[in-house]
Amino acid sequence: MEKLLYHIETLLKWASQTPDHAKTFFNQAFGALQFYIIEHSLSADEYADLETKWNETYKPAFEAIVYGG
């Protein structure tokens, strides 16, 4: 999970540095999250942790860059 979060944070950094391509990085981050969930047998707690991190941290940060706010 550490590598996934590092990857998402890298994509978020790139999105903030190149706002014209931010939506692409947003989509890539969500795709990476989905792939990770599909490929790993997560416990309910691990899944809930990822869901919370995505919904409360990463998604709003990407949306602020992509859509303003």
Side-chain angles (χ1 to χ4, degrees):
M1 188 179 317
E2 184 178 320
K3 287 182 181 181
L4 170 67
L5 298 178
Y6 178 79
H7 180 63
I8 292 173
E9 290 171 10
T10 299
L11 291 168
L12 183 58
K13 180 178 78 172
W14 293 347
S16 68
Q17 292 172 346
T18 56
D20 291 344
H21 302 288
K23 191 165 187 179
T24 299
F25 296 128
F26 183 18
N27 291 335
Q28 289 175 349
F30 187 67
L33 176 67
Q34 288 179 310
F35 184 77
Y36 184 87
I37 290 169
I38 291 168
E39 288 296 312
H40 294 82
S41 298
L42 302 178
S43 69
D45 289 339
E46 290 171 322
Y47 183 86
D49 183 45
L50 272 179
E51 182 179 36
T52 299
K53 284 180 178 158
W54 178 258
N55 288 330
E56 294 180 7
T57 304
Y58 297 117
K59 184 180 178 204
F62 275 108
E63 288 177 336
I65 297 166
V66 173
Y67 304 113

